[in-house]
Amino acid sequence: MISGIWTIAKKEGLHIRRDPRSIAMMFLLPLLMMMLYGYAINMDVKNVKIGVIDHDWSPESREVVSRFDGSEFFSVHRYYPSRDEVRKAIESGAIKGALIIPADFSVRIGRGKNPPIQAIIDGSDSNTGKIMQAGMQQILGSVVFGAGNLPVLFTVEPRVWYNPDMEGVNFIVPGLVAVFLMMIATILTSITIAREKETGTMTQLRLSPAGPAQIIIGKVLPYTFLAFMVGSLMLVFALLYYRVPFYGSPWLLAGLSIAFLLASLSIGLLASTVANSQQVAMAGGLLGTMLPSIILSGFIFPIRSMPQVLQWVSTVIPAKYFLEIIRGIMLKDIGIQYLLGQLFALLLFTLIVLAISTIRFRRQMRI
Amino acid sequence: MNHDYAVDVEDLTKRFGRFTAVDHIDFSVRRGEIFGFLGANGAGKTTTIRMLCGILLPSDGKGSVAGYSIMTQSERIKQVIGYMSQRFSLYSDLTVRENMEFFGGTYGLKNQKLKNRIERVTDLYGIGDFLDQLTGDIPLGWKQRVGLASATLHDPQILFLDEPTSGVDPSARRQFWQTIYQLARGSGTTIFVTTHYLEEAEYCDRAAIMHKGTILDLDTPASLKSRYSKSNMEDVFVHVIREHEGELTV
Ligand SMILES: Nc1ncnc2c1ncn2[C@@H]1O[C@H](COP(=O)(O)OP(=O)(O)OP(=O)(O)O)[C@@H](O)[C@H]1O
Ligand SMILES: [Mg+2]
């Protein structure tokens, strides 16, 4: 059994080595996507329109507003009388955020206290939101009023609407890793089997004493390893280039990603029992994994704000669970005890999909 | 079932939905025999071979290969047979040696034993020059020999060849058949071969004429020719099919 698996895996390794262009693509494409993503961030954030609610209407409050208006980050769109008006303006897209200056702003500056300014950020666009947050902090931190000789510092309490967990890059990058891992594992698996059907070597393989389990495990192993390498590379890139923090245990993440990879691979196997050509396998794999993983997993759109039906659908998207795992471990250092539910969901998913594909595979083996 | 037979089949039938691809056929192949299956496209040759090799479950009937039941012992069968298909089915992005190492490996051959076997078939089929070339890059006639080498690495008792010479030029075909001949006579390997080059039937000890899923006649080429008083197998084949179709339309 073991030596049979090893024989298949070794052969699969040869195929991979003979096709350096595909490997290069597999490693470069994710990095390219991550770079593009970073480029998009830097482009986006200039002269973002914000609104102001000024309850104080003092020289001090106007000074703050003019600092914002004068910065390259923001331009002040207009003043609003109430939060309701601000909310409507954000919903309509007229502004991306607002500053609320409390009524006692100048009075408290006079007393040498730190008066809080509330910042509201439209969290539905988390890239911009993240940058806005940093920009506001930077501007408010630089505003210094002379009260005696004491500098007064501001406290920013950003309230993020629509996407309260927004973490910007930190949030998106682990998501990218999840989506790519899933895509690579699924597509490679389905293509490797479809290719053998297409060229006729599958028949030869089935005629050899290697059993279905050996064939499948032997084929899956090298690609799991590859997907692992790609995932690790993406993470290292994220840590170095975007300085995304990694608070939790890399070992826990590595272990749980195996569960996620298994789920992805099982989808690939299922696709391969349907597809007879590499193109179909590729297209099916892309549609079946990439779109749901991007749209329904919480990668970009928070699940909480989806319509109820889509929320139900999201419970059968493996990427949703892996996103919770990778974000939880990297950003919040949560332990295995909080991730058992996700682990269980991934394993259950794998088991069900694997059962369906094995039944289909067996049936095709001997019609 | 008689265990002296390499292949023994009774009422073997395969239906795909409503369509019957193989229709209650009976035949036996003796050990060491070169047994030919003649038939036009779609006659059911490949379907029969797939059932015998244990990768397709019969709809009806029974059969044994090397004494093992094709219904229940396909794993045992796979160990003792070799197969080479009409579609060239080695990995074209692997070298000849890597292909042989791989397929040998699936039969549990390894290390020195694997090396020895590869050396032996390399000499036997004269493919030494191609060992380290990518299989996709070598000429078709040689590919067939490489396929044969790879299919016989594990010393199969029975070799199934499904249109092994299709698309190969006549001189390469003659060479190929000489090799098959040596294999059968030299090491006693049973050969089960399908072809639609009817003149190739002359190389067989016995040949079955298959048509639309049934076997119309089965005998040695010599007695087939004398029974139908024809000078070659092509005429025999045409005659048998005409006779059969005539019966149907009357
Ligand atoms: N999996 C399948 N499903 C449905 N029909 C099939 C299947 N496999 C074969 N057939 C049909 O069964 C018939 C016999 O096919 P088979 O491949 O056995 O013919 P053959 O004698 O090998 O012909 P060829 O010379 O073309 O290889 C054909 O009509 C074919 O279309
Ligand atoms: Mg055929």
Side-chain angles (χ1 to χ4, degrees), chain A residues 174-185:
Chain A
L176 273 178
V177 176
V179 169
F180 267 101
L181 269 190
M182 170 124 205
M183 250 173 56
I184 288 172

Side-chain angles (χ1 to χ4, degrees), chain A residues 13-269:
Chain A
L14 285 175
H15 289 314
I16 296 172
R17 268 189 17 216
R18 292 289 139 78
D19 191 8
R21 267 196 310 181
S22 299
I23 315 181
M25 281 272 287
M26 221 157 49
F27 281 90
L28 290 181
L29 202 66
L31 293 188
L32 197 72
M33 294 282 278
M34 286 179 72
M35 303 251 264
L36 279 180
Y37 168 75
Y39 186 67
I41 296 177
N42 296 334
M43 289 303 289
D44 261 348
V45 184
K46 266 205 175 135
N47 291 321
V48 177
K49 286 184 183 159
I50 54 170
V52 176
I53 303 175
D54 189 350
H55 293 299
D56 194 35
W57 210 252
S58 57
E60 287 86 350
S61 71
R62 263 165 292 172
E63 166 68 11
V64 170
V65 173
S66 77
R67 288 289 187 97
F68 272 83
D69 205 22
S71 82
E72 59 170 333
F73 279 133
F74 302 102
S75 77
V76 174
H77 186 57
R78 51 166 284 200
Y79 285 85
Y80 293 90
S82 70
R83 285 189 177 220
D84 272 352
E85 298 293 316
V86 164
R87 184 185 285 273
K88 275 182 210 149
I90 288 182
E91 275 170 7
S92 77
I95 54 173
K96 286 251 162 227
L99 300 173
I100 301 176
I101 302 173
D104 55 355
F105 185 69
S106 49
V107 175
R108 290 174 70 178
I109 286 178
R111 291 200 205 117
K113 291 254 175 71
N114 294 355
I117 282 192
Q118 191 176 21
I120 292 174
I121 293 171
D122 172 5
S124 61
D125 175 356
S126 56
N127 318 341
T128 315
K130 175 76 180 174
I131 303 292
M132 281 171 69
Q133 194 177 330
M136 286 178 171
Q137 235 142 10
Q138 189 188 324
I139 292 171
L140 288 174
S142 73
V143 180
V144 176
F145 291 108
N149 280 330
L150 281 176
V152 183
L153 298 175
F154 293 81
T155 320
V156 188
E157 301 167 15
R159 168 188 290 180
V160 177
W161 281 356
Y162 309 124
N163 183 4
D165 295 333
M166 184 198 68
E167 294 280 352
V169 180
N170 294 357
F171 209 57
I172 292 284
V173 165
L176 273 178
V177 176
V179 169
F180 267 101
L181 269 190
M182 170 124 205
M183 250 173 56
I184 288 172
T186 310
I187 292 177
L188 288 185
T189 314
S190 62
I191 281 189
T192 167
I193 291 176
R195 180 174 57 195
E196 300 231 16
K197 287 193 197 173
E198 212 174 277
T199 56
T201 46
M202 198 45 152
T203 313
Q204 200 75 47
L205 207 52
R206 283 164 50 187
L207 278 153
S208 77
Q214 283 172 324
I215 296 177
I216 285 177
I217 300 174
K219 276 183 161 300
V220 152
L221 277 182
Y223 294 109
T224 314
F225 177 73
L226 260 187
F228 229 96
M229 298 305 289
V230 175
S232 312
L233 183 70
M234 288 180 78
L235 270 185
V236 170
F237 185 81
L239 298 183
L240 296 179
Y241 188 81
Y242 286 119
R243 312 212 167 270
V244 172
F246 198 128
Y247 299 121
S249 151
W251 300 112
L252 181 59
L253 181 60
L256 291 177
S257 17
I258 291 178
F260 176 60
L261 282 176
L262 286 177
S264 313
L265 294 163
S266 61
I267 300 181
L269 285 177

